[in-house]
Amino acid sequence: MATVLPSRPRSTLRRALALDAAASAAAGALLLGFTAAASRHFAMAPGLILAEAAIMFAWALFVGWAASRDPVAPALAWTAIAVNFAWGALSVLALVVGALAPTALGTELMLAQALGVAVLGAMQYAGLRQQQRG
Protein backbone atom coordinates (compact mmCIF):
# COMPACT_ATOMS: atom_id res chain seq x y z
CA MET A 1 0.00 0.00 0.00
CA ALA A 2 1.44 3.35 -1.01
CA THR A 3 1.35 6.30 1.33
CA VAL A 4 0.71 9.68 -0.23
CA LEU A 5 2.53 12.50 1.49
CA PRO A 6 2.06 16.16 0.65
CA SER A 7 4.92 17.52 -1.41
CA ARG A 8 5.51 20.18 1.22
CA PRO A 9 4.08 20.09 4.75
CA ARG A 10 2.07 23.06 5.88
CA SER A 11 4.16 25.52 7.80
CA THR A 12 3.51 26.49 11.39
CA LEU A 13 2.70 30.01 10.21
CA ARG A 14 0.17 28.82 7.67
CA ARG A 15 -1.47 26.55 10.26
CA ALA A 16 -1.67 29.42 12.77
CA LEU A 17 -3.24 31.69 10.14
CA ALA A 18 -5.69 28.96 9.11
CA LEU A 19 -6.65 28.41 12.76
CA ASP A 20 -7.21 32.16 13.12
CA ALA A 21 -9.42 32.12 10.02
CA ALA A 22 -11.48 29.18 11.26
CA ALA A 23 -11.90 30.61 14.78
CA SER A 24 -12.80 34.05 13.45
CA ALA A 25 -15.36 32.68 10.99
CA ALA A 26 -16.91 30.52 13.72
CA ALA A 27 -17.07 33.45 16.15
CA GLY A 28 -18.58 35.67 13.47
CA ALA A 29 -21.20 33.03 12.65
CA LEU A 30 -22.11 32.63 16.32
CA LEU A 31 -22.42 36.37 16.82
CA LEU A 32 -24.51 36.72 13.68
CA GLY A 33 -26.73 33.75 14.50
CA PHE A 34 -27.29 34.72 18.10
CA THR A 35 -27.20 38.52 17.95
CA ALA A 36 -30.31 39.08 20.05
CA ALA A 37 -29.31 36.55 22.71
CA ALA A 38 -25.75 37.87 22.83
CA SER A 39 -27.07 41.40 23.19
CA ARG A 40 -29.17 40.40 26.20
CA HIS A 41 -26.57 38.18 27.88
CA PHE A 42 -23.61 40.49 27.33
CA ALA A 43 -25.42 43.85 27.72
CA MET A 44 -24.09 45.07 24.39
CA ALA A 45 -25.99 46.80 21.62
CA PRO A 46 -27.06 44.53 18.75
CA GLY A 47 -25.38 46.93 16.30
CA LEU A 48 -22.07 46.46 18.09
CA ILE A 49 -22.43 42.68 17.96
CA LEU A 50 -23.30 42.77 14.26
CA ALA A 51 -20.34 45.06 13.58
CA GLU A 52 -18.04 42.65 15.39
CA ALA A 53 -19.46 39.74 13.38
CA ALA A 54 -18.76 41.62 10.14
CA ILE A 55 -15.22 42.38 11.28
CA MET A 56 -14.70 38.73 12.20
CA PHE A 57 -15.84 37.58 8.75
CA ALA A 58 -13.60 40.10 6.98
CA TRP A 59 -10.69 39.10 9.19
CA ALA A 60 -11.33 35.41 8.51
CA LEU A 61 -11.16 36.10 4.78
CA PHE A 62 -7.89 37.99 5.15
CA VAL A 63 -6.07 35.47 7.33
CA GLY A 64 -7.50 32.57 5.33
CA TRP A 65 -6.14 34.15 2.15
CA ALA A 66 -2.80 34.83 3.86
CA ALA A 67 -2.63 31.18 4.94
CA SER A 68 -3.05 30.10 1.32
CA ARG A 69 0.18 31.84 0.29
CA ASP A 70 3.29 29.67 0.12
CA PRO A 71 5.40 31.07 1.52
CA VAL A 72 3.41 33.60 3.50
CA ALA A 73 4.72 37.08 2.77
CA PRO A 74 6.26 38.58 5.92
CA ALA A 75 4.11 41.71 5.52
CA LEU A 76 0.95 39.56 5.68
CA ALA A 77 2.24 37.74 8.75
CA TRP A 78 3.22 40.97 10.51
CA THR A 79 -0.22 42.41 9.73
CA ALA A 80 -1.92 39.40 11.32
CA ILE A 81 0.38 39.51 14.34
CA ALA A 82 -0.09 43.25 14.89
CA VAL A 83 -3.87 43.16 14.45
CA ASN A 84 -4.23 40.22 16.84
CA PHE A 85 -2.17 41.89 19.56
CA ALA A 86 -3.93 45.22 19.00
CA TRP A 87 -7.38 43.58 19.14
CA GLY A 88 -6.48 41.89 22.42
CA ALA A 89 -5.03 45.05 23.94
CA LEU A 90 -7.98 47.19 22.83
CA SER A 91 -10.44 44.66 24.22
CA VAL A 92 -8.83 44.87 27.65
CA LEU A 93 -8.46 48.65 27.40
CA ALA A 94 -12.16 49.05 26.53
CA LEU A 95 -13.02 47.22 29.75
CA VAL A 96 -10.49 49.06 31.90
CA VAL A 97 -11.51 52.56 30.82
CA GLY A 98 -15.20 51.72 30.85
CA ALA A 99 -15.79 52.26 27.12
CA LEU A 100 -17.86 49.08 27.29
CA ALA A 101 -19.80 47.88 30.32
CA PRO A 102 -20.78 44.30 29.57
CA THR A 103 -22.22 41.84 32.04
CA ALA A 104 -19.87 39.54 33.93
CA LEU A 105 -20.37 36.95 31.18
CA GLY A 106 -19.60 39.56 28.52
CA THR A 107 -16.48 40.63 30.40
CA GLU A 108 -15.32 37.03 30.64
CA LEU A 109 -15.93 36.55 26.93
CA MET A 110 -13.98 39.69 26.05
CA LEU A 111 -11.07 38.64 28.26
CA ALA A 112 -11.10 35.13 26.79
CA GLN A 113 -11.13 36.61 23.30
CA ALA A 114 -8.23 38.92 24.20
CA LEU A 115 -6.25 35.95 25.46
CA GLY A 116 -7.17 33.90 22.40
CA VAL A 117 -6.02 36.50 19.90
CA ALA A 118 -2.82 37.03 21.88
CA VAL A 119 -2.13 33.29 21.67
CA LEU A 120 -2.86 33.33 17.93
CA GLY A 121 -0.54 36.32 17.49
CA ALA A 122 2.20 34.51 19.41
CA MET A 123 1.73 31.37 17.31
CA GLN A 124 1.90 33.45 14.14
CA TYR A 125 5.05 35.19 15.36
CA ALA A 126 6.69 31.85 16.15
CA GLY A 127 5.65 30.56 12.73
CA LEU A 128 7.06 33.63 11.00
CA ARG A 129 10.37 33.23 12.84
CA GLN A 130 10.46 29.58 11.79
CA GLN A 131 9.71 30.51 8.18
CA GLN A 132 12.47 33.14 8.20
CA ARG A 133 15.00 30.60 9.51
CA GLY A 134 14.06 28.29 6.68
Side-chain angles (χ1 to χ4, degrees):
M1 174 191 265
T3 302
V4 178
L5 297 174
S7 60
R8 186 171 179 179
R10 291 189 63 141
S11 72
T12 300
L13 176 56
R14 290 175 67 209
R15 283 192 302 268
L17 289 166
L19 176 61
D20 195 348
S24 296
L30 285 170
L31 289 171
L32 185 60
F34 298 99
T35 302
S39 177
R40 282 190 311 276
H41 292 299
F42 304 144
M44 293 184 176
L48 180 62
I49 292 169
L50 289 172
E52 184 174 357
I55 291 167
M56 299 300 262
F57 286 131
W59 182 247
L61 287 173
F62 171 74
V63 289
W65 174 78
S68 73
R69 309 293 92 199
D70 191 17
V72 176
L76 296 176
W78 280 116
T79 299
I81 293 162
V83 169
N84 276 320
F85 283 123
W87 186 277
L90 290 172
S91 295
V92 172
L93 184 62
L95 292 171
V96 170
V97 301
L100 296 174
T103 62
L105 181 61
T107 299
E108 291 169 4
L109 177 69
M110 286 182 68
L111 293 174
Q113 183 182 41
L115 177 61
V117 295
V119 168
L120 285 167
M123 290 170 58
Q124 292 159 353
Y125 178 75
L128 177 61
R129 299 290 301 172
Q130 181 184 53
Q131 177 179 285
Q132 290 172 332
R133 287 192 299 270

